[in-house]
Coordinates of all heavy atoms in Angstrom, one line a residue:
M405 N -3.5 -87.1 -10.4 CA -4.8 -87.9 -10.7 C -4.7 -88.6 -12.0 O -4.4 -87.9 -13.0 CB -5.9 -86.9 -10.6 CG -7.2 -87.6 -10.7 SD -8.7 -86.5 -10.6 CE -8.3 -85.3 -9.4
Q406 N -4.9 -89.9 -12.0 CA -4.9 -90.7 -13.2 C -6.1 -90.6 -14.0 O -7.2 -90.4 -13.4 CB -4.7 -92.2 -12.8 CG -4.8 -93.1 -13.9 CD -3.5 -93.5 -14.5 OE1 -2.5 -93.5 -13.8 NE2 -3.5 -93.9 -15.7
T407 N -6.1 -90.6 -15.3 CA -7.2 -90.6 -16.1 C -7.3 -91.9 -17.0 O -6.2 -92.3 -17.5 CB -7.2 -89.4 -17.1 OG1 -7.1 -88.2 -16.3 CG2 -8.4 -89.3 -18.0
V408 N -8.4 -92.6 -17.0 CA -8.6 -93.7 -17.8 C -9.9 -93.7 -18.5 O -10.8 -93.0 -18.1 CB -8.5 -95.0 -16.9 CG1 -7.2 -95.2 -16.2 CG2 -9.7 -95.1 -15.9
T409 N -10.0 -94.5 -19.6 CA -11.2 -94.5 -20.3 C -12.3 -95.4 -19.6 O -11.9 -96.3 -18.8 CB -11.1 -95.1 -21.7 OG1 -10.6 -96.5 -21.6 CG2 -10.1 -94.3 -22.5
T410 N -13.5 -95.2 -19.9 CA -14.6 -96.1 -19.3 C -14.4 -97.5 -19.7 O -14.7 -98.4 -18.9 CB -16.0 -95.6 -19.6 OG1 -16.1 -95.4 -21.0 CG2 -16.2 -94.3 -18.9
D411 N -13.9 -97.7 -20.9 CA -13.7 -99.1 -21.4 C -12.6 -99.8 -20.6 O -12.7 -101.0 -20.1 CB -13.3 -99.1 -22.9 CG -14.4 -98.8 -23.8 OD1 -15.6 -99.0 -23.4 OD2 -14.1 -98.3 -24.9
Y412 N -11.5 -99.0 -20.3 CA -10.4 -99.6 -19.5 C -10.9 -99.9 -18.1 O -10.7 -100.9 -17.5 CB -9.2 -98.6 -19.5 CG -8.1 -99.1 -18.6 CD1 -7.1 -99.8 -19.2 CD2 -8.0 -98.8 -17.2 CE1 -6.0 -100.3 -18.4 CE2 -7.0 -99.3 -16.4 CZ -6.0 -100.0 -17.0 OH -5.0 -100.5 -16.3
A413 N -11.7 -98.9 -17.5 CA -12.2 -99.1 -16.2 C -13.1 -100.3 -16.1 O -13.0 -101.1 -15.1 CB -13.0 -97.8 -15.8
A414 N -13.9 -100.6 -17.1 CA -14.8 -101.7 -17.1 C -14.0 -103.0 -17.0 O -14.3 -104.0 -16.3 CB -15.7 -101.7 -18.3
E415 N -12.8 -103.1 -17.7 CA -12.0 -104.3 -17.8 C -11.1 -104.4 -16.6 O -10.6 -105.5 -16.3 CB -11.2 -104.2 -19.0 CG -12.0 -104.4 -20.3 CD -11.2 -104.4 -21.5 OE1 -10.0 -104.6 -21.4 OE2 -11.8 -104.1 -22.6
H416 N -10.8 -103.3 -15.8 CA -9.9 -103.3 -14.7 C -10.4 -102.7 -13.4 O -9.7 -102.1 -12.6 CB -8.6 -102.5 -15.1 CG -7.9 -103.1 -16.3 ND1 -8.2 -102.6 -17.6 CD2 -7.0 -104.0 -16.5 CE1 -7.5 -103.3 -18.5 NE2 -6.7 -104.1 -17.8
L417 N -11.7 -102.9 -13.2 CA -12.4 -102.3 -12.1 C -11.8 -102.7 -10.8 O -11.5 -101.9 -9.9 CB -13.9 -102.6 -12.1 CG -14.7 -101.9 -11.0 CD1 -14.6 -100.4 -11.2 CD2 -16.1 -102.4 -11.1
E418 N -11.4 -103.9 -10.5 CA -10.9 -104.4 -9.2 C -9.5 -103.7 -9.0 O -9.3 -103.2 -7.9 CB -10.7 -105.9 -9.2 CG -12.0 -106.7 -9.2 CD -12.8 -106.4 -7.9 OE1 -12.2 -106.3 -6.8 OE2 -14.0 -106.3 -8.0
E419 N -8.7 -103.6 -10.0 CA -7.4 -102.9 -9.8 C -7.6 -101.4 -9.5 O -7.0 -100.8 -8.6 CB -6.6 -103.0 -11.2 CG -5.4 -102.0 -11.2 CD -5.0 -101.7 -12.6 OE1 -5.2 -102.5 -13.5 OE2 -4.3 -100.7 -12.7
L420 N -8.6 -100.7 -10.2 CA -8.9 -99.3 -9.9 C -9.4 -99.1 -8.5 O -9.0 -98.2 -7.8 CB -9.8 -98.8 -11.0 CG -9.3 -98.8 -12.4 CD1 -10.3 -98.3 -13.3 CD2 -8.0 -97.9 -12.5
I421 N -10.3 -100.0 -8.1 CA -10.8 -99.9 -6.7 C -9.7 -100.0 -5.7 O -9.7 -99.3 -4.7 CB -11.9 -101.0 -6.5 CG1 -13.1 -100.6 -7.3 CG2 -12.3 -101.1 -5.0 CD1 -14.2 -101.7 -7.3
E422 N -8.8 -100.9 -5.9 CA -7.6 -101.1 -4.9 C -6.8 -99.8 -4.9 O -6.4 -99.3 -3.8 CB -6.7 -102.3 -5.3 CG -7.3 -103.6 -4.8 CD -7.4 -103.5 -3.3 OE1 -6.5 -103.2 -2.5 OE2 -8.6 -103.9 -2.9
R423 N -6.6 -99.2 -6.1 CA -5.8 -97.9 -6.1 C -6.5 -96.8 -5.4 O -6.0 -96.0 -4.7 CB -5.5 -97.6 -7.6 CG -4.5 -98.5 -8.2 CD -4.4 -98.4 -9.7 NE -4.1 -97.1 -10.2 CZ -4.1 -96.7 -11.4 NH1 -4.3 -97.7 -12.4 NH2 -3.8 -95.5 -11.8
V424 N -7.9 -96.8 -5.6 CA -8.7 -95.7 -4.9 C -8.7 -96.0 -3.4 O -8.6 -95.0 -2.6 CB -10.1 -95.7 -5.5 CG1 -11.0 -94.9 -4.6 CG2 -10.1 -95.2 -6.9
R425 N -8.8 -97.2 -3.0 CA -8.7 -97.6 -1.5 C -7.4 -97.1 -0.9 O -7.4 -96.8 0.3 CB -8.8 -99.1 -1.3 CG -10.2 -99.6 -1.5 CD -10.3 -101.1 -1.2 NE -10.2 -101.2 0.2 CZ -9.5 -102.3 0.7 NH1 -9.0 -103.2 -0.1 NH2 -9.4 -102.4 2.0
H426 N -6.3 -97.0 -1.7 CA -5.1 -96.5 -1.2 C -4.9 -95.0 -1.4 O -3.8 -94.5 -1.3 CB -3.9 -97.3 -1.8 CG -3.9 -98.7 -1.3 ND1 -4.5 -99.7 -2.0 CD2 -3.4 -99.2 -0.2 CE1 -4.3 -100.8 -1.3 NE2 -3.6 -100.6 -0.2
G427 N -6.0 -94.3 -1.7 CA -5.9 -92.8 -1.7 C -5.8 -92.2 -3.1 O -5.8 -90.9 -3.2
E428 N -5.7 -92.9 -4.1 CA -5.6 -92.4 -5.5 C -7.0 -92.0 -6.0 O -7.9 -92.6 -5.7 CB -4.9 -93.3 -6.4 CG -4.6 -92.8 -7.8 CD -3.8 -93.7 -8.7 OE1 -3.3 -94.7 -8.1 OE2 -3.7 -93.4 -9.8
A429 N -7.1 -90.8 -6.7 CA -8.3 -90.4 -7.4 C -8.1 -90.7 -8.8 O -7.0 -90.5 -9.4 CB -8.6 -89.0 -7.1
I430 N -9.2 -91.2 -9.5 CA -9.1 -91.6 -10.9 C -10.3 -91.0 -11.6 O -11.4 -91.1 -11.2 CB -9.1 -93.1 -11.1 CG1 -7.9 -93.7 -10.3 CG2 -9.1 -93.5 -12.5 CD1 -7.9 -95.2 -10.2
V431 N -10.0 -90.3 -12.7 CA -11.0 -89.7 -13.6 C -11.3 -90.7 -14.7 O -10.4 -91.2 -15.3 CB -10.6 -88.3 -14.2 CG1 -11.6 -87.8 -15.1 CG2 -10.4 -87.4 -13.0
L432 N -12.6 -90.9 -15.0 CA -13.1 -91.8 -16.1 C -13.4 -90.9 -17.2 O -14.1 -89.9 -17.0 CB -14.2 -92.7 -15.7 CG -14.0 -93.5 -14.5 CD1 -15.3 -94.3 -14.2 CD2 -12.8 -94.4 -14.6
T433 N -13.0 -91.3 -18.4 CA -13.4 -90.5 -19.6 C -14.1 -91.3 -20.6 O -14.0 -92.5 -20.7 CB -12.1 -89.9 -20.3 OG1 -11.3 -91.0 -20.8 CG2 -11.3 -89.0 -19.4
K434 N -15.0 -90.6 -21.3 CA -15.8 -91.3 -22.4 C -15.7 -90.4 -23.7 O -15.9 -89.2 -23.6 CB -17.2 -91.5 -22.0 CG -18.1 -92.1 -23.0 CD -17.9 -93.6 -23.0 CE -19.0 -94.3 -23.9 NZ -18.8 -95.7 -23.9
D435 N -15.2 -90.9 -24.7 CA -15.0 -90.1 -26.0 C -14.1 -88.9 -25.7 O -14.4 -87.8 -26.2 CB -16.3 -89.7 -26.6 CG -17.2 -90.9 -26.9 OD1 -16.6 -91.9 -27.4 OD2 -18.4 -90.8 -26.8
G436 N -13.1 -89.0 -24.8 CA -12.2 -88.0 -24.6 C -12.6 -86.9 -23.6 O -12.0 -85.9 -23.3
H437 N -13.8 -87.1 -23.0 CA -14.4 -86.2 -22.1 C -14.5 -86.8 -20.7 O -15.0 -87.9 -20.6 CB -15.8 -85.6 -22.5 CG -15.7 -85.0 -23.9 ND1 -15.3 -83.7 -24.1 CD2 -16.1 -85.5 -25.1 CE1 -15.3 -83.5 -25.4 NE2 -15.8 -84.5 -26.0
P438 N -14.1 -86.1 -19.6 CA -14.3 -86.6 -18.3 C -15.8 -86.8 -17.9 O -16.6 -85.9 -18.2 CB -13.7 -85.5 -17.3 CG -13.3 -84.4 -18.2 CD -13.5 -84.8 -19.6
V439 N -16.1 -87.9 -17.4 CA -17.5 -88.2 -17.0 C -17.8 -88.6 -15.6 O -18.9 -88.5 -15.1 CB -18.1 -89.3 -18.0 CG1 -18.2 -88.8 -19.4 CG2 -17.4 -90.6 -17.9
A440 N -16.7 -89.0 -14.9 CA -16.8 -89.4 -13.5 C -15.5 -89.4 -12.8 O -14.4 -89.4 -13.5 CB -17.4 -90.9 -13.4
R441 N -15.5 -89.5 -11.5 CA -14.3 -89.5 -10.7 C -14.4 -90.6 -9.6 O -15.4 -90.6 -8.9 CB -14.0 -88.2 -10.0 CG -12.7 -88.2 -9.3 CD -12.4 -86.8 -8.6 NE -12.5 -85.8 -9.6 CZ -13.1 -84.6 -9.4 NH1 -13.7 -84.3 -8.3 NH2 -13.1 -83.7 -10.3
L442 N -13.5 -91.5 -9.6 CA -13.4 -92.5 -8.5 C -12.6 -92.0 -7.4 O -11.4 -91.6 -7.6 CB -12.9 -93.8 -9.0 CG -13.6 -94.5 -10.1 CD1 -12.8 -95.8 -10.5 CD2 -15.0 -94.9 -9.7
V443 N -13.1 -91.8 -6.2 CA -12.4 -91.4 -5.0 C -12.7 -92.2 -3.8 O -13.8 -92.8 -3.7 CB -12.7 -89.9 -4.7 CG1 -12.2 -88.9 -5.8 CG2 -14.2 -89.7 -4.4
H444 N -11.8 -92.2 -2.9 CA -12.0 -93.0 -1.7 C -13.0 -92.3 -0.8 O -13.0 -91.1 -0.6 CB -10.7 -93.1 -0.9 CG -10.8 -93.9 0.4 ND1 -11.0 -95.2 0.4 CD2 -10.6 -93.5 1.6 CE1 -11.0 -95.6 1.7 NE2 -10.8 -94.6 2.4
I445 N -13.9 -93.1 -0.2 CA -14.9 -92.5 0.8 C -14.2 -92.5 2.2 O -13.9 -93.6 2.7 CB -16.2 -93.3 0.8 CG1 -16.8 -93.2 -0.6 CG2 -17.1 -92.8 1.9 CD1 -18.1 -94.1 -0.7
E446 N -14.1 -91.3 2.7 CA -13.4 -91.2 4.0 C -14.3 -91.8 5.2 O -13.8 -92.4 6.1 CB -13.0 -89.8 4.3 CG -12.0 -89.2 3.3 CD -10.7 -90.0 3.3 OE1 -10.3 -90.4 4.4 OE2 -10.1 -90.1 2.3
E447 N -15.5 -91.4 5.2 CA -16.4 -91.8 6.3 C -17.5 -92.7 5.8 O -18.1 -92.4 4.7 CB -17.0 -90.6 7.0 CG -16.1 -89.8 7.8 CD -16.8 -88.6 8.5 OE1 -18.0 -88.8 8.7 OE2 -16.1 -87.6 8.7
E448 N -17.9 -93.6 6.6 CA -19.1 -94.4 6.3 C -20.3 -93.6 6.7 O -20.3 -93.0 7.8 CB -19.1 -95.8 7.0 CG -17.9 -96.7 6.6 CD -18.4 -97.8 5.7 OE1 -19.6 -98.1 5.6 OE2 -17.5 -98.4 5.1
T449 N -21.4 -93.6 6.0 CA -22.6 -93.0 6.4 C -23.8 -94.0 6.3 O -23.7 -95.0 5.6 CB -23.0 -91.8 5.5 OG1 -23.2 -92.2 4.2 CG2 -21.8 -90.7 5.5
D450 N -24.8 -93.7 7.1 CA -26.0 -94.6 7.0 C -27.0 -94.0 6.1 O -28.1 -94.6 6.0 CB -26.5 -94.7 8.5 CG -25.6 -95.5 9.3 OD1 -24.8 -96.3 8.9 OD2 -25.7 -95.3 10.6
Q451 N -26.6 -92.9 5.4 CA -27.5 -92.3 4.5 C -27.8 -93.2 3.3 O -26.9 -93.7 2.6 CB -27.0 -91.0 4.0 CG -27.8 -90.3 3.0 CD -27.2 -89.0 2.6 OE1 -26.1 -88.7 3.0 NE2 -27.9 -88.3 1.7
E452 N -29.1 -93.5 3.0 CA -29.5 -94.3 1.9 C -29.6 -93.4 0.6 O -30.1 -92.3 0.7 CB -30.8 -95.0 2.1 CG -30.6 -96.1 3.1 CD -31.9 -97.0 3.1 OE1 -32.6 -97.1 2.1 OE2 -32.2 -97.6 4.2
V453 N -29.2 -93.9 -0.5 CA -29.4 -93.2 -1.8 C -30.7 -93.6 -2.4 O -30.9 -94.8 -2.6 CB -28.2 -93.4 -2.7 CG1 -28.4 -92.7 -4.1 CG2 -26.9 -93.0 -2.1
P454 N -31.5 -92.7 -2.8 CA -32.8 -93.0 -3.4 C -32.6 -93.8 -4.7 O -31.6 -93.6 -5.4 CB -33.4 -91.6 -3.8 CG -32.8 -90.7 -2.8 CD -31.4 -91.2 -2.6
A455 N -33.4 -94.8 -4.9 CA -33.3 -95.7 -6.0 C -33.3 -95.0 -7.3 O -32.6 -95.4 -8.3 CB -34.5 -96.7 -6.0
A456 N -34.0 -93.9 -7.4 CA -34.1 -93.1 -8.7 C -32.7 -92.6 -9.0 O -32.2 -92.5 -10.1 CB -35.1 -92.0 -8.6
E457 N -32.0 -92.1 -8.0 CA -30.6 -91.6 -8.2 C -29.6 -92.7 -8.6 O -28.8 -92.4 -9.5 CB -30.1 -90.9 -6.9 CG -30.7 -89.6 -6.6 CD -30.0 -88.9 -5.4 OE1 -28.8 -89.0 -5.2 OE2 -30.8 -88.2 -4.7
V458 N -29.8 -93.8 -8.0 CA -28.9 -95.0 -8.4 C -29.2 -95.3 -9.8 O -28.2 -95.5 -10.6 CB -29.1 -96.2 -7.5 CG1 -28.4 -97.4 -8.0 CG2 -28.7 -95.8 -6.0
E459 N -30.5 -95.5 -10.3 CA -30.8 -95.8 -11.6 C -30.2 -94.8 -12.6 O -29.7 -95.2 -13.6 CB -32.3 -96.1 -11.8 CG -32.7 -97.3 -11.1 CD -34.1 -97.7 -11.5 OE1 -34.6 -97.3 -12.6 OE2 -34.7 -98.5 -10.8
E460 N -30.4 -93.5 -12.3 CA -29.9 -92.5 -13.2 C -28.4 -92.5 -13.3 O -27.8 -92.4 -14.4 CB -30.3 -91.1 -12.7 CG -29.9 -90.0 -13.6 CD -30.4 -88.6 -13.2 OE1 -31.4 -88.5 -12.4 OE2 -29.8 -87.7 -13.6
A461 N -27.7 -92.8 -12.2 CA -26.2 -92.9 -12.3 C -25.7 -94.0 -13.1 O -24.8 -93.9 -13.8 CB -25.7 -93.0 -10.8
F462 N -26.5 -95.2 -13.1 CA -26.0 -96.3 -13.8 C -26.6 -96.4 -15.2 O -26.0 -96.9 -16.1 CB -26.3 -97.6 -13.1 CG -25.4 -97.9 -12.0 CD1 -25.7 -97.5 -10.7 CD2 -24.2 -98.5 -12.2 CE1 -24.8 -97.8 -9.6 CE2 -23.3 -98.7 -11.2 CZ -23.6 -98.4 -9.9
Y463 N -27.8 -95.9 -15.4 CA -28.5 -96.1 -16.7 C -28.8 -94.8 -17.4 O -29.3 -94.8 -18.5 CB -29.8 -96.9 -16.5 CG -29.6 -98.2 -15.8 CD1 -30.0 -98.4 -14.5 CD2 -28.8 -99.2 -16.4 CE1 -29.8 -99.6 -13.8 CE2 -28.6 -100.4 -15.7 CZ -29.1 -100.6 -14.4 OH -28.8 -101.8 -13.8
G464 N -28.5 -93.6 -16.9 CA -28.7 -92.4 -17.5 C -30.2 -91.9 -17.3 O -30.9 -92.5 -16.6
D465 N -30.5 -90.8 -18.0 CA -31.8 -90.2 -17.9 C -32.9 -91.2 -18.3 O -33.0 -91.7 -19.3 CB -31.9 -88.9 -18.7 CG -30.8 -88.0 -18.5 OD1 -30.4 -87.9 -17.3 OD2 -30.4 -87.4 -19.4

């Protein structure tokens, strides 16, 4: 599993998405601490994510 900083991920998102599409998992770190993992979604679901969860994921508490 590859580890990259959030700054690197922001600048190379398309490349990272392609790598994840091909099965690689990537851990994102901020200030040396893991904060997220990019993984391929195996199945499509029709489940909607509540807007509050999306906002928290992108903008924090």
Side-chain angles (χ1 to χ4, degrees):
M405 187 176 321
Q406 171 95 31
T407 301
V408 300
T409 66
T410 54
D411 291 333
Y412 180 91
E415 292 179 20
H416 300 92
L417 187 57
E418 291 297 322
E419 169 203 336
L420 296 176
I421 289 172
E422 278 304 307
R423 289 168 54 185
V424 168
R425 286 183 67 216
H426 290 93
E428 188 173 346
I430 300 171
V431 173
L432 304 181
T433 62
K434 180 81 172 177
D435 299 324
H437 301 282
V439 295
R441 183 180 305 137
L442 298 177
V443 295
H444 180 70
I445 297 175
E446 297 297 327
E447 288 184 26
E448 297 255 345
T449 65
D450 291 335
Q451 180 181 0
E452 287 190 29
V453 177
E457 286 185 34
V458 172
E459 287 194 23
E460 183 176 337
F462 282 97
Y463 305 111
D465 308 322

